[in-house]
Structures are given as structure tokens and as C-alpha cells.
Amino acid sequence: MSRPTTVLLLPGQGSQRERMAAGLYGAHPQFTAAMDGFFDALDAHGAPEGQRDRPARHWLRPAPHPDLDDARIAQPLLLGVGHALGRAVAATVGPPGLLLGHSAGELAAAVLAGVFRAADLGRLAAARARVVGDDGRGGMLAVAAAEDELPAGLGPVTVAAVNGPRQTVLAGPSDALERARATLTAAGRTVLPLRSGHAFHSPSVSAMARRFTQEVTALRPAPARTPLVSCRTARPLRDSEAVDPAFWGDQIALPVRYWPALKSLLDASGTDPGLLLLDASPDRSLGAAARRHPAVRAGASHVLPLLAPAARTGGPADVEAFDRAMATVTTYAPPRSPARSGVGRRAGSRHDQV
């Protein structure tokens, strides 16, 4: 029987949590080195004088931390943490066989896949933060409904993401989004505001997408060296798309087709050879939809959270969750190359007291 394929699932805005994955910092050498390198690069490319170490301080600050809802803070941190988790996984059990990133997480996946150079991660994260302006202000709303179950006539509010069979995210200006919330609540729908002050993945941020395209042009993206399934298209990334700056820029304003992308993987490979879905989301949201798929319910594929539940992330429970996931991967798919976890010993972290 073929060994299952590991798939690294990387989150985007809305899933960020205070101290996400911070329990691995100082406990896992590769994760720690990746985060230190990321913060150094981000300082070099994006931090004004006198504001060095601010990203690390935002990351390590305990809840409540409302500033973490700001895309200029959340999205660079999601890129940095996602990339560091990918490096830690690769060092422990070998590189993932497939990468799948949600929204900003797709940029972290693109770095791990070689579309962008690892040395340019800080520059990419700084650019993503820099293009976020006052245009596109609004919000995002998760709705427990399939896309085709939503009522017509929601005005400028549009579908921003399809995250599960009956998990849809809407985005739009704040006043229109509030009217949509009232309409959906009155119809008996469960709705939940997401941690975002902008209407990402909607026409409201089209100007932002154009600015980011200009930034990406200077980074000269290359074809992926590791298979990456794009949530923009819900299919494997093509070389012509990978090298096109507009593909990455327009991603900001176009819907995230996460569930169609994940479902296509599970439909095709969920039973044979099976998939090991490494859920890197701090709120464990990326694996939630997969648990309902027949391949996972039958035990042919598995969802493996890399981090502790949101209420416990940021401490020793992260190490326990990561160790448990890596042990399971080793059981089902022995490492393809020698790896050293290093979890459980201090790694000379530089931000312990931040």
C-alpha cells in the first residue's frame, strides 16, 4: 500500500491568535531560527527607525490584543509563523508532499514551494503590510451556509471565501456588512464576525491588489519546486501563474476557494494513498471542514493539528501538539530524509523577554 501524502495547510487572516505557535519558539531550533530570521528581515524592510522588534512584541503579547486584528500586523505574522512551521515540519519528518495555503497563507506556501526566495520572506511580508491602506476598510463575516444558500440582494457585500460545505465568508463595507448580518440572523443563519478591519477578497480592495502586484514584480517569482494547490483557482499552481505578479496581487481581491481546493485533493487522493493534513491554523479551522469528508471519516486520511487549541496556544501545549503530529506522520509515512526535531531543548531564542 502506498504511503500517505503529507499536506501542509497554512492559514490566513481571521485565524490569527495571540502568541500563535509561540510555544515552539525556543523549543524547536528550526522554528526559532526561522522566526528570528524573519523578524530581522522584516525590520530591515519594513520597520521605521525606533520601531524595531515591534512585530515580535505583537506576536508574543498575551490576549487580549486587539491590534492583532490589524492586517498590517496580522498578515506579516501569519506569513512568518506559517513559513517557520513549514521549516520545522521539514526538519522533523521531511518536506510536505503538497502545500495548500488560505489567503495570506498561500504566500507562506509559495515561499516554502520556492516561488519566492526564502531570503525575500521579510520583504514580501513588509510589502503585504505596506499596501494595506484606508481603502477597503470594512469587515468579514463567517456564515454557516453554503454559497448557494445565501440570499440575493446583499448589496456590495460579496462572497470572500468558501471554507467548507456550509462555511462561507462574506466581505464588504462595514455598514453594508451590518445590514447583511441582520438579514442573515433574521433568517436563522449563524454568523460570526472575523478578526479583520478590511473587506479582503472583495472588489473593495482592488486598488490594494494593484499595489501589491507592483511590489511582487520586483521579487521575480519563479515556478514552484514543491506542488502547491492554489485557493485562488482550486487546482494545482501552474508555472505560468507562479511567475505572474498579477496572479499574486489579484489574490487579495478575489475569493478564496479553500474548500473546493481541499475537496479536490481529498476526492482524488483521500482514500489511496490517503492524506495526512497538517493543520497549522491557530484556531484549527483549516482541518474542521476536512473532518466531514468521507475519506477522513473512514480513517483513510487524517487531520493532524500542529498547534494546541487556541485557548492554550503559546505555551508548552504547542510543543505537545507538534510532537504528537510529527509522531503520527512518522507512523504513517516514515521520514524521507534524516531529521532532527530538537523539540524539548532550548534553542537560543532572542525574543524570550519581548
Side-chain angles (χ1 to χ4, degrees):
M1 181 177 178
S2 302
R3 69 186 218 165
T5 300
T6 55
V7 184
L8 181 58
L9 308 177
L10 295 165
Q13 179 143 5
S15 67
Q16 73 272 13
R17 295 293 184 272
E18 289 81 358
R19 294 183 56 81
M20 53 188 174
L24 294 176
Y25 186 73
H28 192 295
Q30 288 78 17
F31 181 87
T32 304
M35 289 305 295
D36 282 342
F38 168 71
F39 287 130
D40 286 345
L42 194 59
D43 281 347
H45 291 289
E49 287 298 324
Q51 295 186 18
R52 301 294 170 91
D53 272 349
R54 284 192 65 189
R57 292 178 183 276
H58 281 299
W59 178 45
L60 295 175
R61 180 175 166 178
H65 185 21
D67 287 350
L68 201 60
D69 297 351
D70 187 333
R72 292 166 294 188
I73 296 170
Q75 293 195 13
L77 288 178
L78 286 163
L79 263 67
V81 170
H83 172 260
L85 283 170
R87 294 298 182 198
V89 168
T92 307
V93 296
L98 286 168
L99 297 159
L100 177 60
H102 188 292
S103 184
E106 188 158 299
L107 293 179
V111 175
L112 292 167
V115 174
F116 300 103
R117 298 188 311 145
D120 286 334
L121 175 64
R123 188 177 174 187
L124 181 67
R128 183 74 172 216
R130 190 161 49 245
V131 301
V132 177
D134 289 334
D135 54 322
R137 285 284 181 183
M140 306 182 78
L141 192 70
V143 185
E147 184 176 5
D148 59 6
E149 294 175 336
L150 296 173
L154 294 179
V157 173
T158 59
V159 171
V162 179
N163 290 339
R166 300 188 72 251
Q167 299 173 25
T168 305
V169 175
L170 303 177
S174 297
D175 54 350
L177 201 64
E178 177 56 28
R179 290 193 296 271
R181 184 201 64 77
T183 297
L184 291 165
T185 301
R189 298 293 183 187
T190 300
V191 298
L192 179 68
L194 298 183
R195 298 183 68 168
S196 177
H198 286 78
F200 288 109
H201 303 292
S202 78
S204 296
V205 294
S206 294
M208 197 183 301
R210 291 192 292 272
R211 294 196 294 270
F212 193 53
T213 296
Q214 293 176 342
E215 297 275 2
V216 172
T217 300
L219 297 179
R220 301 177 65 182
R225 296 193 299 270
T226 299
L228 186 158
V229 176
S230 173
C231 284
R232 173 178 163 175
T233 60
R235 55 170 168 72
L237 180 70
R238 297 171 178 168
D239 288 353
S240 59
E241 294 166 340
V243 302
D244 182 5
F247 181 87
W248 303 104
D250 291 346
Q251 179 215 51
I252 295 178
L254 295 176
V256 179
R257 316 299 295 183
Y258 174 74
W259 174 240
L262 180 58
K263 184 177 183 297
S264 69
L265 282 178
L266 286 164
D267 287 348
S269 304
T271 301
D272 184 17
L275 302 176
L276 299 178
L277 303 171
L278 307 182
D279 184 355
S281 57
D283 61 355
R284 299 190 171 186
S285 58
L286 295 182
R291 293 182 188 278
R292 302 185 181 94
H293 191 278
V296 176
R297 295 176 65 181
S301 291
H302 304 270
V303 176
L304 307 176
L306 292 181
L307 302 175
R312 299 176 62 208
T313 192
D318 281 337
V319 176
E320 297 169 7
F322 187 85
D323 273 353
R324 187 163 49 248
M326 296 300 94
T328 303
V329 171
T330 302
T331 298
Y332 285 98
R336 286 170 286 182
S337 59
R340 296 175 302 167
S341 168
V343 172
R345 63 178 184 268
R346 300 302 291 175
S349 53
R350 293 193 285 105
H351 294 284
D352 287 350
Q353 304 304 316
V354 171

